[in-house]
Amino acid sequence: MKALVCVKRVIDYNVKIRVKSDKSGVETDNVKMSMNPFDEIAVEEAIRLKEKNQIQEVVILSIGTDKSQETIRSGLAMGGDRGILVKTEKDQLEPLTVGKIIKSVSDKEKPDLIILGKQAIDDDCNQTGQIVATLLEFPQATFASELKKNNDNTLEVTREVDGGLETVKINIPCVVTTDLRLNEPRYASLPNIMKAKQKKIDVLEIGSFDIDIKDRLQILEVNEPPERKPGIKVDDVDSLVEKLKNEAKVL
Amino acid sequence: MDSSVNINSEIINFKQYLLSNTDILKDILSKLEKVSTKSREAFKSALTKDNRIDNQLLEINQSKTHGFAWFDTYRIGLRETLNWFTRLNNDNKSSEIDAAVTLFAFAEYLMQMRNGIMMSQSEIVRPSDLHLDDNDFEFMNDDSVRDLLEIGLSDKIKTVIVDSLDKDIHPSLGLNDETLDMIQDQFKKFTEEEILPHANEWHLKDALIPDDVLKKMAELGVFSIAIPENYGGLGMGKVAMCVVTEELSRGFLAAGSLGTRAEIAGELIRLGGTEEQKKKYLPEIASGNILTTAVFTEPNTGSDLGSLSTRAQLQGDDYIINGNKTWITHGARSDLMTVLARTDMNQKGYKGLSMFLVEKPRGNCEKPFPMEGMSGSEIEVLGYRGMKEYEIALEDIKVSRKNLLGEQEGNGFKQLMETFESARIQTAARAVGVAQNALELSLQYAKDRSQFGKQILKFPRIFNKLAWMAMETTVARQITLFSAREKDNDARCDIEAGMAKLLAARVAWSNADSALQIHGGNGYALEYPISRVLCDSRILNIFEGAAEIQAQIIVKGLLAR
Ligand SMILES: Cc1cc2nc3c(=O)[nH]c(=O)nc-3n(C[C@H](O)[C@H](O)[C@H](O)COP(=O)(O)OP(=O)(O)OC[C@H]3O[C@@H](n4cnc5c(N)ncnc54)[C@H](O)[C@@H]3O)c2cc1C
């Protein structure tokens, strides 16, 4: 069995995001970038399946600029076997474009499991996994919080849904998107970081895919979230009720 | 001077200024080299008797000569800071704060070199002590240098530094290598998740760092960094060691210091051991199965190790060790002691010393020394907790002659000296980690705390302290990484390693002190981590060569050059 793990390079979750002064997007100069945390969970899950001998190969795929090689490399340092970078000039591609590329790579690689984060923490789209499953006509299990491989070529996946937990059984090959509680990704150890240096990353130009990468969406403006106004003290209950009614208009 | 840059105008781009004036900084460095040479030659001729540096004269002039060690430490620090900025810039990675820190460092250190350097809070060395006078600093009257000083010392540059810190943009590390960046990233994460949240609790409970944290560190490879690959290690070199050490120490000094012991024992055995000793011990140290402890200091011999009195006498095929040792860090929870003892009673000095690899059963808090002939008691300490220090008595401890390091007597002191370069670099990296921790804690506090209707961060006396911390931490880090790179390239760097340790230890203490000041009364409360960092930082000036001894070693090296 082979897993294809899709990872995206995003601004590190610890960084305080700043909007560019022309409001065209967020500041990325000298900003620390890392693997999207949900994708890190996907890498971890694939490696755990490999450690249980349920998967033989873990391939890490990223679509992005040359710098995304670093992101792939950190997946290899966690324990991935090899990497594929589909190289683009642009930092951000829309989910549909990404989905089409993943389909194309998948047609060639023929993975049994495509596993990726439920969303990227930069654009929060939560679309890519679903689009990939649709394009490939694979079954999908999204928001996975537990994953088990059965002996009959199916996966049992527990999903986090609004009302609680839902467990589904899906056929392989399939697409799984990961939620926060699926696992806690490991730290890459020094020996594994050293080993990752020798692992192969194939670099493919996006132009070599016969795919229309034109954006369908146009960003008009990016704004900082409004600053929270300081609170005030009221003298008594009456004035509190009065303010809730007339100012906050919640009563 | 670039006419677009005017300190009084609203917009100043320090990076632009630095890039168009790099030649001035280079010129300053070459002037300083001349000044340094003049001072050195003057000391040489004043201290030479019978064609060699006379130890008695050296001692009479101790403060002055140590002042020269500090002077040259500043010079090398500035040189490496400029080299750091230049490398960053060549890689298109320099940012405004990097430029601001570089300019601030040049201006501040240059002023101190001309007017007086604080070797400690109570000792200032002045140019006249170094056989220098106003003429030697004439170049500082050039218009271009004056502009630099004005810009570099301005409140404006410090505001820019602190604005950047406020946005979480710190001076770049400048590691310049994808693998090192990844190592830094992983250990930062580990420290933030597994060390930082617990450090204060471990400190306040005076507890050992828990076994499972040790195990995780071993799995990550902390103890195997410097051990060669053919002996089960990673053979990664000193720069990687610095990166890991700084991160761990930023969380908790003892966490960054666990590796020190593996480093000392590893280097002793790698450089001085027989093939059999290497094969037996190095893989076990690398895996973390064997924890080591360094047993050198005695109640009556600390800095003057060469005169120690613990004895090891050969009886048949065994040595019998007797003596008292003290300040033994991690003395209980460890499996292998590297013991320095006297084998030749006729040689009173360092030539009579030998190093022994003494195995012992691992102790714990309840039963620290479960070995016959070994007893001891804990020394309660201000900081640097997490491993525990002990005073130890060794009584008729029997070790096979196979456990004499290198199986040759009389080499113990020399073998120990060979490890000093590495140990100093590692200790400098620990100090940089502590310094960075102090900076980060006080930055956060200064953002959160408001007085007189605004964040205290906005007051010049607060942001000036923060900018100073960021600047000095950077200089200390860059001189440390420089020594590490030299060591990795097999270049001799004993002097620079000593300089790194000397400066970084002072910076750690002064950062901690300023950081506590920024905390006001809360800084004095045990509950606030900065109170621990203050205690932790204080040790760095004492062990691995106390500041006075370190300066002595540096100046002896400089005068021999
Ligand atoms: C927390 C802690 C952990 C330690 N861990 C270990 C360990 O694991 N293993 C180990 O073997 N040792 C350890 N040490 C011991 C440490 O290495 C010594 O404390 C250090 O070498 C200084 O020796 P000393 O304390 O005897 O001071 P002294 O040598 O007595 O020095 C006292 C003061 O005099 C100064 N001084 C001494 N000689 C001169 C001189 N010629 N000129 C000018 N000034 C001078 C010193 O710089 C110092 O300021 C540890 C110490 C501490 C505090």
Side-chain angles (χ1 to χ4, degrees):
Chain A
M1 209 170 120
K2 184 202 269 190
L4 182 67
V5 191
C6 311
V7 301
K8 183 178 184 184
R9 184 171 183 268
V10 298
I11 295 183
D12 189 85
Y13 72 99
N14 275 314
V15 171
K16 205 170 104 196
I17 303 288
R18 278 168 298 123
V19 172
K20 282 187 187 157
S21 50
D22 65 1
K23 298 191 174 183
S24 65
V26 299
E27 202 68 70
T28 51
D29 281 359
N30 287 308
V31 169
K32 182 169 152 46
M33 308 292 283
S34 302
M35 186 188 293
N36 175 39
F38 292 106
D39 299 342
E40 218 174 12
I41 293 172
V43 175
E44 176 68 32
E45 198 61 23
I47 295 168
R48 288 189 189 183
L49 288 169
K50 190 181 167 187
E51 284 167 348
K52 283 189 247 165
N53 272 327
Q54 293 173 334
I55 280 186
Q56 278 67 50
E57 192 183 24
V58 176
V59 182
I60 315 254
L61 165 68
S62 189
I63 299 143
T65 61
D66 217 17
K67 298 249 181 200
S68 295
Q69 286 210 42
E70 288 170 23
T71 313
I72 296 175
R73 190 76 65 195
S74 60
L76 298 178
M78 287 172 72
D81 295 299
R82 63 186 168 90
I84 301 172
L85 170 69
V86 177
K87 204 170 120 188
T88 66
E89 295 300 316
K90 281 203 305 189
D91 255 342
Q92 291 281 348
L93 296 176
E94 288 175 5
L96 180 59
T97 312
V98 174
K100 286 176 183 168
I101 295 170
I102 295 175
K103 173 186 185 300
S104 193
V105 172
S106 167
D107 285 343
K108 203 166 135 259
E109 290 284 336
K110 305 218 176 328
D112 306 276
L113 168 66
I114 298 179
I115 185 164
L116 65 170
K118 68 170 183 179
Q119 68 194 67
I121 61 168
D122 52 0
D123 56 23
D124 277 344
C125 281
N126 187 350
Q127 295 174 5
T128 307
Q130 294 87 328
I131 290 175
V132 170
T134 311
L135 293 175
L136 282 165
E137 299 185 19
F138 281 6
Q140 58 176 304
T142 50
F143 314 144
S145 66
E146 209 184 320
L147 188 154
K148 266 201 301 250
K149 172 152 188 301
N150 300 322
N151 291 331
D152 59 352
N153 250 0
T154 60
L155 288 186
E156 205 173 289
V157 180
T158 307
R159 310 180 55 230
E160 295 195 357
V161 292
D162 272 353
L165 298 176
E166 175 186 87
T167 304
V168 296
K169 191 165 147 187
I170 56 173
N171 290 327
I172 288 170
C174 62
V175 174
V176 172
T177 75
T178 56
D179 214 326
L180 205 59
R181 274 162 288 270
L182 181 58
N183 60 47
E184 274 185 39
R186 70 195 62 195
Y187 308 103
S189 70
L190 292 171
N192 284 339
I193 290 174
M194 296 307 274
K195 276 189 212 140
K197 284 167 87 162
Q198 317 299 333
K199 293 179 182 170
K200 203 167 144 221
I201 300 179
D202 287 315
V203 180
L204 311 170
E205 296 293 333
I206 194 160
S208 67
F209 291 75
D210 191 15
I211 287 171
D212 164 18
I213 61 165
K214 201 174 75 233
D215 284 343
R216 266 74 178 170
L217 299 173
Q218 191 194 344
I219 291 177
L220 300 179
E221 204 177 87
V222 177
N223 285 297
E224 301 266 2
E227 245 184 73
R228 252 185 69 187
K229 295 203 185 86
I232 53 162
K233 274 190 184 160
V234 292
D235 295 330
D236 48 40
V237 175
D238 286 345
S239 50
L240 173 66
V241 172
E242 196 270 329
K243 285 204 186 300
L244 288 176
K245 256 189 196 148
N246 299 327
E247 271 181 41
K249 299 200 172 37
V250 292
L251 290 183
Chain B
M1 173 180 155
D2 181 343
S3 60
S4 69
V5 181
N6 181 337
I7 190 66
N8 298 316
S9 77
E10 269 303 291
I11 306 153
I12 292 184
N13 185 322
F14 293 111
K15 186 171 151 186
Q16 212 48 54
Y17 171 80
L18 177 48
L19 288 175
S20 43
N21 292 286
T22 311
D23 284 348
I24 298 175
L25 302 197
K26 285 190 187 149
D27 197 44
I28 290 172
L29 287 175
S30 74
K31 295 276 175 13
L32 287 177
E33 198 177 335
K34 286 205 189 90
V35 178
S36 163
T37 307
K38 180 185 167 191
S39 176
R40 189 181 66 210
E41 292 310 315
F43 274 123
K44 269 191 191 169
S45 54
L47 304 177
T48 300
K49 217 163 115 182
D50 304 332
N51 279 328
R52 53 196 292 227
I53 300 289
D54 182 77
N55 277 335
Q56 212 180 342
L57 285 175
L58 195 62
E59 191 169 310
I60 293 169
N61 289 286
Q62 191 174 63
S63 292
K64 292 175 183 171
T65 53
H66 287 196
F68 178 58
W70 273 99
F71 187 89
D72 237 33
T73 299
Y74 272 34
R75 183 175 69 82
I76 302 298
L78 290 181
R79 189 188 75 195
E80 289 317 313
T81 304
L82 183 59
N83 282 341
W84 158 76
F85 180 81
T86 309
R87 276 195 311 273
L88 282 174
N89 201 56
N90 292 345
D91 278 6
N92 275 331
K93 283 190 180 150
S94 68
S95 57
E96 189 67 1
I97 187 172
D98 299 326
V101 156
T102 305
L103 291 167
F104 180 19
F106 265 80
E108 180 56 49
Y109 276 17
L110 206 50
M111 286 300 257
Q112 290 187 29
M113 290 164 102
R114 184 176 69 182
N115 299 315
I117 296 174
M118 269 208 170
M119 296 197 287
S120 69
Q121 278 110 318
S122 43
E123 293 157 294
I124 295 182
V125 57
R126 302 203 164 77
S128 56
D129 299 328
L130 308 178
H131 306 279
L132 300 173
D133 57 42
D134 283 351
N135 288 331
D136 296 305
F137 295 94
E138 183 55 35
F139 70 92
M140 287 174 70
N141 294 328
D142 283 1
D143 282 347
S144 57
V145 180
R146 282 182 177 210
D147 284 339
L148 171 93
L149 292 173
E150 191 189 342
I151 288 173
L153 296 175
S154 64
D155 272 8
K156 174 78 192 174
I157 209 165
K158 295 162 197 170
T159 321
V160 165
I161 291 171
V162 175
D163 275 352
S164 173
L165 295 175
D166 189 16
K167 289 179 194 147
D168 249 354
I169 302 176
H170 284 253
S172 312
L173 301 182
L175 299 173
N176 236 353
D177 177 285
E178 204 190 297
T179 307
L180 291 172
D181 284 337
M182 197 189 287
I183 293 172
Q184 195 261 337
D185 186 57
Q186 290 301 307
F187 277 88
K188 186 178 168 70
K189 220 154 115 188
F190 176 78
T191 298
E192 246 135 59
E193 288 165 11
E194 314 275 342
I195 308 277
L196 266 174
H198 313 290
N200 232 41
E201 186 193 329
W202 295 336
H203 169 78
L204 291 177
K205 286 191 179 154
D206 197 3
L208 289 170
I209 296 178
D211 284 339
D212 69 306
V213 176
L214 241 64
K215 190 160 160 266
K216 282 183 195 165
M217 286 172 60
E219 280 165 7
L220 287 179
V222 172
F223 304 117
S224 60
I225 299 176
I227 292 176
E229 284 172 279
N230 49 337
Y231 297 107
L234 295 167
M236 289 177 86
K238 303 301 162 198
V239 177
M241 183 191 69
C242 285
V243 170
V244 171
T245 302
E246 178 181 339
E247 273 311 322
L248 293 172
S249 308
R250 191 175 64 87
F252 189 41
L253 176 56
S257 305
L258 280 165
T260 316
R261 263 129 285 281
E263 173 80 12
I264 295 174
E267 287 283 285
L268 276 173
I269 297 169
R270 178 176 78 87
L271 296 167
T274 61
E275 191 53 34
E276 203 181 329
Q277 289 167 341
K278 289 183 205 179
K279 279 201 182 120
K280 181 167 180 197
Y281 292 112
L282 291 180
E284 295 285 300
I285 295 173
S287 66
N289 285 345
I290 280 188
L291 295 176
T292 60
T293 178
V295 185
F296 313 138
T297 305
E298 296 182 357
N300 292 324
T301 46
S303 302
D304 183 20
L305 266 190
S307 65
L308 62 76
S309 58
T310 294
R311 281 178 302 164
Q313 283 169 308
L314 194 60
Q315 274 183 17
D317 274 341
D318 295 319
Y319 283 93
I320 310 295
I321 302 181
N322 279 289
N324 292 318
K325 294 288 184 179
T326 192
W327 282 115
I328 307 311
T329 301
H330 228 182
R333 185 175 55 176
S334 46
D335 316 280
L336 182 70
M337 304 189 272
T338 48
V339 181
L340 190 60
R342 189 167 303 280
T343 39
D344 186 348
M345 297 314 288
N346 298 322
Q347 289 272 10
K348 287 292 164 226
Y350 66 88
K351 284 183 185 149
L353 302 180
S354 302
M355 188 70 74
F356 292 90
L357 306 170
V358 184
E359 293 178 26
K360 74 177 194 57
R362 188 182 289 200
N364 55 33
C365 292
E366 289 76 47
K367 235 181 151 202
F369 304 108
M371 177 160 93
E372 205 179 324
M374 184 173 176
S375 59
S377 55
E378 189 183 337
I379 305 172
E380 292 187 10
V381 280
L382 282 175
Y384 192 53
R385 296 177 182 173
M387 292 185 286
K388 291 186 184 287
E389 278 70 36
Y390 297 90
E391 183 165 1
I392 288 174
L394 301 172
E395 209 185 323
D396 291 336
I397 301 284
K398 201 159 140 189
V399 277
S400 157
R401 66 191 299 170
K402 283 209 149 104
N403 283 29
L404 166 65
L405 187 68
E407 291 196 39
Q408 243 189 356
E409 286 189 5
N411 289 335
F413 201 74
K414 194 175 130 257
Q415 287 162 336
L416 184 59
M417 293 225 326
E418 283 172 350
T419 69
F420 280 170
E421 263 179 18
S422 295
R424 277 177 206 145
I425 296 170
Q426 208 266 353
T427 302
R430 288 192 272 171
V432 174
V434 173
Q436 180 69 26
N437 190 8
L439 166 60
E440 288 173 11
L441 288 170
S442 53
L443 176 67
Q444 190 59 48
Y445 193 86
K447 286 201 234 183
D448 295 344
R449 177 75 173 172
S450 289
Q451 286 293 283
F452 303 99
K454 59 178 168 186
Q455 285 180 308
I456 59 170
L457 179 83
K458 303 284 184 220
F459 295 110
R461 289 293 304 276
I462 304 296
F463 70 68
N464 280 342
K465 287 187 183 67
L466 290 165
W468 183 289
M469 287 187 228
M471 178 274 278
E472 282 211 299
T473 307
T474 302
V475 179
R477 180 184 292 121
Q478 292 313 322
I479 191 169
T480 304
L481 289 173
F482 168 74
S483 319
R485 279 192 300 270
E486 290 288 285
K487 182 85 187 157
D488 284 343
N489 294 332
D490 280 332
R492 189 175 164 185
C493 64
D494 52 340
I495 297 180
E496 289 81 2
M499 289 174 166
K501 155 72 169 74
L502 182 71
L503 182 65
R506 190 192 74 182
V507 171
W509 171 244
S510 81
N511 274 18
D513 186 38
S514 297
L516 194 144
Q517 186 68 19
I518 289 172
H519 279 70
N522 282 340
Y524 207 60
L526 293 179
E527 179 192 341
Y528 280 78
I530 190 61
S531 64
R532 160 180 58 83
V533 174
L534 185 87
C535 297
D536 284 353
S537 70
R538 192 61 189 84
I539 184 59
L540 294 156
N541 254 326
I542 297 171
F543 61 26
E544 290 296 342
E548 295 77 10
I549 302 302
Q550 204 64 253
Q552 176 79 358
I553 294 164
I554 294 168
V555 81
K556 276 192 157 177
L558 289 173
L559 294 179
R561 265 189 189 171

